[in-house]
Amino acid sequence: DAAPSMLKALAPQNLIVITDFDATLTCGDGPQCHDVLGTAPSLPASLRADFAPLLDFSVPHPPEWHGAKWWERANEILVAHGAPTRAALPALVRDAGLTPRPGALRLLQWLEARGVPVLIVSAGCTDIVLSFLEHELDAPWSGPVSSNQLRWDEAGTLVAVAPSPPCTSLDKDRTCERNPRFFASCSSRRSLLILGDSLSDLDVGTGVDRDATYSVGLLNDLRPPWCDPDEYDARFTAVLRGDRASLDPVTDLLERAEAAAKSS
């Protein structure tokens, strides 16, 4: 049960939220951003063939794809094929089978209605995140997304992916460095809530000036074998288990914190 100090810290006027996207705001058993970019049937067959080895984790990847080089190779393939095009992206995302995690849309809408700053940090693709949220929320998402961004020429052909080096799951400790305007705009808010499905998602708090940090881990059923459930329990404030575990308990807790602030 939440202590009074936690409820006070999580009051909307005190709060900043940083959340992962893939398998956090979406279900853990569905496609992720790079699945969309590399496997959509409407993409050129040659692109999908080049991308397939990157998404095959049943065999060891060659050393030249290890770490951040995996993302660099993915970007090279996309740019080489000039796809996805700008015009094709909305349908690509809509037809990809991305599914909101239960409770995710309610949480985002609750935070937005109360003016709580939300930063989405992803090793995926900003354009997919924004297109997905616009479709699911039936309105453009106004919050910032810190991720890789597709760059098209005037004809709508993909010509680059920014930044370089890319955003990866291995450098989320650079979140504060990459988003100075966001953190400057909410420096008076002293509590940070982190949502993520990986232990590396906790790194987004590196360098953030705050008095209290709470975190919710999503321990998906489909997870790498090196994900130790005991370590999740030790490092996250709370852990929700399952590919489709709902985020409603997070919103319920924040509603309690809001009610407590109003009654004090």
Side-chain angles (χ1 to χ4, degrees):
D1 196 22
S5 59
M6 178 186 289
L7 293 178
K8 182 178 180 180
L10 292 176
Q13 66 270 24
N14 296 334
L15 191 59
I16 303 168
V17 175
I18 307 179
T19 178
D20 176 50
F21 178 72
D22 285 321
T24 296
L25 295 179
T26 61
C27 291
D29 56 355
Q32 300 188 19
C33 286
H34 280 92
D35 298 313
V36 178
L37 292 170
T39 67
S42 60
L43 290 167
S46 55
L47 184 157
R48 288 183 276 124
D50 287 347
F51 218 95
L54 284 175
L55 298 175
D56 183 3
F57 296 99
S58 65
V59 296
H61 285 163
E64 59 267 25
W65 295 354
H66 288 180
K69 295 177 182 178
W70 187 96
W71 282 265
E72 293 172 2
R73 177 57 183 152
N75 293 346
E76 288 172 359
I77 293 170
L78 297 174
V79 172
H81 291 274
T85 63
R86 180 166 48 201
L89 187 74
L92 203 74
V93 175
R94 187 174 60 248
D95 298 338
L98 291 167
T99 305
R101 181 177 290 276
L105 301 181
R106 176 194 170 204
L107 174 60
L108 291 176
Q109 290 169 326
W110 190 95
L111 294 167
E112 186 173 41
R114 287 152 180 82
V116 176
V118 178
L119 176 63
I120 298 174
V121 179
S122 173
C125 178
T126 294
D127 308 272
I128 290 177
V129 173
L130 291 176
S131 183
F132 170 79
L133 290 178
E134 180 173 359
H135 179 259
E136 294 297 332
L137 295 169
D138 199 28
W141 175 249
S142 59
V145 178
S146 182
S147 186
N148 300 292
Q149 300 179 26
L150 304 179
R151 296 284 188 253
W152 296 279
D153 63 16
E154 292 183 0
T157 300
L158 185 71
V159 293
V161 182
S164 181
C167 299
T168 78
S169 61
L170 307 175
D171 63 1
K172 291 197 172 184
D173 58 349
R174 295 185 60 195
T175 295
C176 191
E177 170 193 336
R178 284 172 166 157
N179 300 276
R181 289 186 182 179
F182 173 81
F183 291 104
S185 70
C186 50
S187 59
S188 63
R189 294 170 175 266
R190 305 304 302 167
S191 299
L192 173 62
L193 176 62
I194 298 171
L195 308 177
D197 70 298
S198 172
L199 291 170
S200 65
D201 290 322
L202 291 168
D203 294 341
V204 298
T206 302
V208 179
D209 183 21
R210 76 279 195 191
D211 298 329
T213 300
Y214 299 97
S215 56
V216 177
L218 285 302
L219 185 60
N220 292 306
D221 298 320
L222 295 178
R223 59 183 186 270
W226 59 82
C227 289
D228 182 355
D230 291 338
E231 192 171 1
Y232 273 64
D233 288 330
R235 296 189 57 192
F236 286 100
T237 307
V239 178
L240 302 174
R241 287 169 161 77
D243 290 334
R244 297 188 174 232
S246 176
L247 289 173
D248 280 335
V250 179
T251 309
D252 293 343
L253 176 62
L254 295 178
E255 287 184 336
R256 289 179 56 197
E258 180 182 43
K262 288 179 178 179
S263 64
S264 61

